Amino acid sequence: MSENKKLPQNRIAKLRKEKNLSQAQLAKETGLTRQAISLYEIGKREPKLETWVKLADFFNVPVPYLQGIAFKGFKFGSNDSFEQIAYDYGLLDNYAEFANNISEDKRKTISEAVILFKSTIIQLLEMDNRYKSDTYQEYLKSLIGVVYFLSVSINSDKIGNEKQRQKVMKCYIKGIEKFAEYVSKSSIADLVLDNKDGKDK
């Protein structure tokens, strides 16, 4: 690369200043040198991939955003992980205006739900690997099956109008509520609810 040719402006300096950190402080936090941080910020040196990842993790943003790539009006900066979820699932490219209008409460709810779903799947896979039991695989298949069924029901071409769609949703809500009530009164309630010790009998 010639000396006169600079790399696209990244957001390292912007995010560093938002955290009220000096270059030396950022270097200490990330295990880099102050000189390297300075060169990255002015575009005279390109970080290696592992350095981009390290910096992105520190600032809690996607690597492409840190690199200076424009995201069609989507605003980063929330303390929750909605931005990362939106980036992962293409909301930035296809639904930027829609995503920007989601309230903070809904952003938080969406983030928590997706993170919980991902962590549940990971735990099931880890438990299946550790205990070599078909039970965890069956639970995983059932969980994904329910989510798939709910998704299909929302997008089904057989639902002709909004009134029918809301009827389907109300049916699901009632079914889920009945299931939750059943579990709360069943013999496994002690194990899955917080209001009792959940000790083996």
Side-chain angles (χ1 to χ4, degrees):
M1 181 191 306
S2 67
E3 285 189 18
N4 294 328
K5 185 179 179 182
K6 292 187 177 182
L7 296 167
Q9 182 65 48
N10 61 60
R11 294 182 171 94
I12 297 173
K14 175 181 180 293
L15 294 171
R16 172 178 62 78
K17 291 173 183 177
E18 287 178 359
K19 283 183 172 288
N20 296 315
L21 295 174
S22 66
Q23 290 180 341
Q25 289 172 320
L26 177 59
K28 183 178 180 181
E29 291 286 342
T30 56
L32 303 170
T33 66
R34 189 208 63 77
Q35 183 183 19
I37 296 293
S38 176
L39 292 173
Y40 296 156
E41 288 186 352
I42 61 178
K44 285 190 174 181
R45 181 185 295 178
E46 174 76 2
K48 294 179 180 179
L49 178 58
E50 55 265 32
T51 304
W52 279 123
V53 172
K54 182 183 293 186
L55 288 166
D57 286 345
F58 176 77
F59 290 117
N60 194 29
V61 297
V63 169
Y65 177 78
L66 185 63
Q67 291 173 326
I69 296 174
F71 283 104
K72 298 184 180 180
F74 194 91
K75 299 175 183 178
F76 282 81
S78 170
N79 290 327
D80 63 39
S81 60
F82 182 82
E83 290 90 346
Q84 183 64 54
I85 293 167
Y87 174 71
D88 288 344
Y89 292 96
L91 292 178
L92 293 173
D93 291 329
N94 301 319
Y95 305 105
E97 184 176 351
F98 165 76
N100 275 329
N101 291 326
I102 295 177
S103 69
E104 278 301 313
D105 287 345
K106 285 185 179 179
R107 287 158 63 91
K108 187 171 185 293
T109 300
I110 292 168
S111 300
E112 291 175 349
V114 174
I115 291 168
L116 184 60
F117 184 68
K118 284 183 176 179
S119 65
T120 301
I121 292 176
I122 291 170
Q123 288 176 30
L124 285 168
L125 293 173
E126 287 179 348
M127 292 167 79
D128 175 62
N129 185 56
R130 187 184 310 161
Y131 299 111
K132 306 297 181 186
S133 170
D134 291 339
T135 304
Y136 300 112
Q137 276 296 320
E138 288 301 316
Y139 192 100
L140 177 61
K141 289 178 183 177
S142 299
L143 178 63
I144 294 174
V146 169
V147 173
Y148 174 77
F149 192 64
L150 290 170
S151 176
V152 169
S153 71
I154 293 173
N155 298 295
S156 175
D157 293 334
K158 294 181 179 180
I159 300 177
N161 54 56
E162 181 61 22
K163 187 175 181 180
Q164 291 178 345
R165 194 179 306 279
Q166 291 196 25
K167 184 177 180 181
V168 171
M169 294 302 100
K170 288 177 181 178
C171 181
Y172 279 131
I173 291 170
K174 190 175 293 185
I176 292 169
E177 288 175 345
K178 284 185 177 179
F179 172 74
E181 184 180 358
Y182 165 77
V183 171
S184 69
K185 295 178 180 178
S186 72
S187 59
I188 62 169
D190 291 0
L191 299 175
V192 299
L193 299 178
D194 292 333
N195 58 342
K196 296 188 180 181
D197 292 334
K199 296 179 181 179
D200 291 336
K201 296 181 179 179

